[in-house]
Amino acid sequence: MNRAAFFLLTFAVFAGICQPVYGQTKQIEYRYETSIKNLSDDKLSVRLKISGFSEDTLTYCFPKIVPGIYGAMNFGQYISYFEVFDKKGKKLRSEQTDLNTWKIYDAKKIAGVSYLVDDAWEAFDDKMEYGFYRSAASSFSDSSLVITPNSLFGYFRGHINHPVKVSIQKGINLYPATSLKKVVKPNLDLFSAENYHQLVDNPILYALPDTTMIHLPGISVEVACHSTSGKPISKDIAEYIRPLLIAQTKYLNNKLPVDHYTFLIYHHLATNRNHLIGDGLEHSNSTLILLYMPLDIETIRQNIYGIASHEFFHTLMPLGLHSHEIENYDYNDPKFSKHLWLYEGMTEYFTMHMPVKTGLKTEKEFFNTVEEKMAVMKEFDPNLAITDLSLHPMEMQNEYYNVYLKGALINLCLDIKLRELSGGKYGVKDLVLQLTDRYGQGKPFEDDKLFAEIVSMTGFKELEAFIAKYIEGTEALPLEELLLKAGLKVVNGRISEVENSTPEQQKLRADWLR
């Protein structure tokens, strides 16, 4: 998407549960150690201390893909000098079997693994590379480090659900911002995670301290920033997004899925005022935002506003509400869910709908956003069902952005439809909250049964035809028909009020937007 030369890429990282390993007799714990004090050619030396395996051979993996990116990143390409040791320091035999995996022999003797990690990008600038998402990768420098754990730390196949501890030696002035459990000391930071999934779900920003806390009922939000300009920016950003967070809390009926959250913001100073780039990667309790733009606090705040709104809503779905395909995500051989219309489309619709529903924006501003999505949607294949795109995203990267366009407009139509069927009392927000009550954290739904569940749960048989035509099918969205029910007309791609709208039209529009 190119809107005012601003690019927004969103991705998701999900928590999951691996299959159990039977016959295991000893407690296994990942204990990672590294130092960021002295970088050598932008590489970090990582050592893993681990033991207790019963298998003769093990496979050590770095993720091929991070959920939500839908393109192979192959984090193993940044690894070198991979070695395995027993408790006496003797090397064990290992061989690299593909770009991301190593096979280890005599694995019962394993006591340690060591390797070097190169960073994947040097600066967040305007050198965009198709299919490469810097918010999923790491960057190391003497003044700051963006650490995405999936690019630094690997896992043993079949042993992904063991506890993880990480110790990082550092310079005395650097502060680690993250939602991971941590103990911060002058020269050493200690982090812990329940398993590898939780570790990957929590990026770390190391920089000179520039943080501001936002305390709201039920949630504490840390805004942690680093600007290559050397100027502090967290206070201005926090003050600007505070009303947004209050409005989102109100919009969700005060049912927030998390009680703490961290915005990690890395700003690279740009000299070209007309080329603004933003890249956001959401996690269960945090969002990593990379920015390339001038040190203009108003420009920075406005661009962060849109990213922050979208990413925070992702705490609902798919980070909370999702199918088994996501709950049991395999970083090296993923199986995809067909519900991107929900995970991304609904999230984007909430980002559009929340400001007008809570009074932050006018109806005219909302309609402008709808008009833009209607126009840009025409650039994509109208004969591709959103569910087919969801199931085959890696093969259809050139169509993927339509989930933020058609996906959002599907949910706009569904919202009006539900309001009409319920006499204005029930919309897509209520649907999501009801689904979340039933299928929240740790309770994934069956991918192929969700549509039938929605019809049964709402009691609206009419939704079967809507789903078949517009989500699973390729019929053109009934935007004009449904907007007319709310007293609105579409002429040459522009939305306006109909003359002499009926009381029924006025009520439906009020229930939907006010």
Side-chain angles (χ1 to χ4, degrees):
M1 178 182 182
N2 189 339
R3 193 166 83 188
F6 177 72
F7 297 85
L8 170 60
L9 306 173
T10 56
F11 321 103
V13 174
F14 314 107
I17 300 175
C18 74
Q19 59 191 35
V21 177
Y22 300 100
Q24 208 70 51
T25 58
K26 298 180 181 178
Q27 174 65 37
I28 296 173
E29 180 180 69
Y30 289 81
R31 289 170 291 157
Y32 279 103
E33 298 175 352
T34 188
S35 173
I36 61 175
K37 291 178 66 175
N38 299 305
L39 296 175
S40 176
D41 296 326
D42 283 342
K43 292 183 174 66
L44 291 183
S45 175
V46 177
R47 185 173 183 88
L48 167 64
K49 295 180 179 178
I50 195 166
S51 63
F53 295 108
S54 60
E55 296 96 320
D56 292 322
T57 60
L58 288 169
T59 300
Y60 190 83
C61 309
F62 289 92
K64 174 182 179 180
I65 181 173
V66 176
I69 292 178
Y70 305 108
M73 290 282 286
N74 293 313
F75 292 102
Q77 68 180 298
Y78 306 108
I79 306 304
S80 58
Y81 296 101
F82 184 90
E83 295 179 322
V84 188
F85 304 90
D86 64 15
K87 62 182 180 180
K88 295 182 179 180
K90 180 181 178 181
K91 288 184 183 180
L92 299 178
R93 186 164 69 96
S94 65
E95 62 175 327
Q96 188 170 3
T97 54
D98 63 34
L99 191 56
N100 301 297
T101 60
W102 282 258
K103 188 174 183 179
I104 298 170
Y105 300 89
D106 294 324
K108 293 178 181 178
K109 300 178 181 179
I110 192 171
V113 179
S114 68
Y115 49 86
L116 293 180
V117 184
D118 197 358
D119 58 358
W121 55 274
E122 299 300 322
F124 189 75
D125 51 25
D126 57 356
K127 297 179 177 64
M128 304 292 287
E129 180 182 341
Y130 181 77
F132 176 74
Y133 309 110
R134 282 174 282 187
S135 59
S138 293
S139 176
F140 316 139
S141 71
D142 292 331
S143 61
S144 67
L145 296 93
V146 175
I147 294 177
T148 58
N150 49 272
S151 62
L152 258 69
F153 309 116
Y155 65 94
F156 291 99
R157 182 171 292 157
H159 294 275
I160 207 165
N161 208 34
H162 301 295
V164 182
K165 291 183 179 178
V166 177
S167 64
I168 299 180
Q169 292 183 345
K170 61 170 184 178
I172 193 169
N173 294 323
L174 295 182
Y175 168 76
T178 181
S179 284
L180 274 175
K181 292 182 179 179
K182 63 186 178 183
V183 177
V184 179
K185 299 182 178 181
N187 293 296
L188 180 69
D189 297 325
L190 306 174
F191 307 90
S192 61
E194 293 180 1
N195 51 41
Y196 184 76
H197 296 293
Q198 189 181 73
L199 178 69
V200 168
D201 198 26
N202 286 277
I204 306 170
L205 173 63
Y206 266 102
L208 295 176
D210 178 18
T211 64
T212 301
M213 294 297 300
I214 303 173
H215 296 288
L216 300 173
I219 187 170
S220 294
V221 178
E222 180 180 9
V223 179
C225 302
H226 171 72
S227 173
T228 61
S229 69
K231 304 293 185 181
I233 59 176
S234 68
K235 183 178 179 181
D236 284 320
I237 293 173
E239 289 177 351
Y240 194 73
I241 66 174
R242 180 184 173 88
L244 168 68
L245 298 175
I246 292 173
Q248 287 182 299
T249 302
K250 178 181 177 182
Y251 184 76
L252 297 176
N253 301 343
N254 297 314
K255 293 183 177 180
L256 295 177
V258 297
D259 58 10
H260 69 281
Y261 201 84
T262 308
F263 286 105
L264 309 173
I265 301 168
Y266 175 95
H267 166 244
H268 185 83
L269 184 64
T271 56
N272 186 346
R273 299 188 64 85
N274 296 319
H275 199 179
L276 315 177
I277 303 174
D279 182 350
L281 172 61
E282 78 275 4
H283 300 266
S284 296
N285 288 77
S286 62
T287 289
L288 174 62
I289 299 174
L290 309 178
L291 301 173
Y292 175 74
M293 54 192 59
L295 186 63
D296 177 348
I297 196 62
E298 186 60 31
T299 300
I300 292 173
R301 292 194 308 183
Q302 289 179 5
N303 285 313
I304 284 178
Y305 192 92
I307 302 175
S309 178
H310 182 97
E311 310 305 356
F312 187 77
F313 274 130
H314 267 309
T315 58
L316 278 177
M317 60 219 162
L319 300 172
L321 174 64
H322 54 246
S323 69
H324 285 278
E325 284 74 10
I326 292 173
E327 180 82 5
N328 303 311
Y329 195 85
D330 187 326
Y331 298 97
N332 291 78
D333 186 22
K335 304 297 185 293
F336 296 109
S337 166
K338 65 180 180 181
H339 295 294
L340 276 175
W341 71 273
L342 174 69
Y343 306 144
E344 291 294 350
M346 187 75 79
T347 298
E348 182 67 9
Y349 177 67
F350 279 5
T351 304
M352 299 161 51
H353 186 245
M354 180 277 294
V356 66
K357 190 72 172 178
T358 59
L360 290 179
K361 290 188 177 182
T362 65
E363 290 186 7
K364 180 59 178 175
E365 289 173 312
F366 172 72
F367 296 150
N368 288 344
T369 302
V370 175
E371 291 164 358
E372 182 179 345
K373 289 190 181 295
M374 291 168 59
V376 181
M377 181 178 66
K378 295 177 182 178
E379 300 176 9
F380 295 86
D381 185 359
N383 298 312
L384 175 61
I386 201 85
T387 49
D388 290 337
L389 174 58
S390 298
L391 290 170
H392 307 283
M394 294 182 69
E395 299 87 352
M396 301 179 182
Q397 282 285 289
N398 59 334
E399 294 289 333
Y400 180 76
Y401 193 73
N402 207 18
V403 300
Y404 303 101
L405 306 169
K406 184 178 180 181
L409 296 178
I410 284 172
N411 286 291
L412 181 150
C413 292
L414 181 58
D415 202 8
I416 298 175
K417 186 70 175 178
L418 286 171
R419 293 288 178 185
E420 179 191 21
L421 292 171
S422 66
K425 297 179 180 179
Y426 188 93
V428 291
K429 182 190 72 172
D430 305 285
L431 171 63
V432 168
L433 292 177
Q434 191 174 0
L435 284 170
T436 302
D437 286 341
R438 185 171 299 186
Y439 299 109
Q441 285 281 4
K443 296 182 292 183
F445 56 78
E446 297 288 340
D447 211 65
D448 290 331
K449 295 181 179 180
L450 180 63
F451 289 135
E453 186 75 10
I454 289 173
V455 173
S456 174
M457 191 172 62
T458 61
F460 299 131
K461 190 76 172 176
E462 296 88 341
L463 294 184
E464 288 182 349
F466 182 96
I467 292 167
K469 290 179 181 180
Y470 310 120
I471 304 180
E472 294 185 296
T474 59
E475 289 194 27
L477 296 179
L479 282 161
E480 294 187 19
E481 172 191 340
L482 289 170
L483 287 170
L484 185 59
K485 291 178 181 293
L488 301 164
K489 59 183 178 181
V490 181
V491 179
N492 297 324
R494 309 296 292 183
I495 300 171
S496 61
E497 298 182 41
V498 300
E499 296 179 3
N500 302 316
S501 58
T502 67
E504 291 77 16
Q505 290 174 315
Q506 295 172 16
K507 181 180 183 304
L508 181 58
R509 181 172 164 188
D511 290 334
W512 170 39
L513 295 180
R514 295 169 198 161

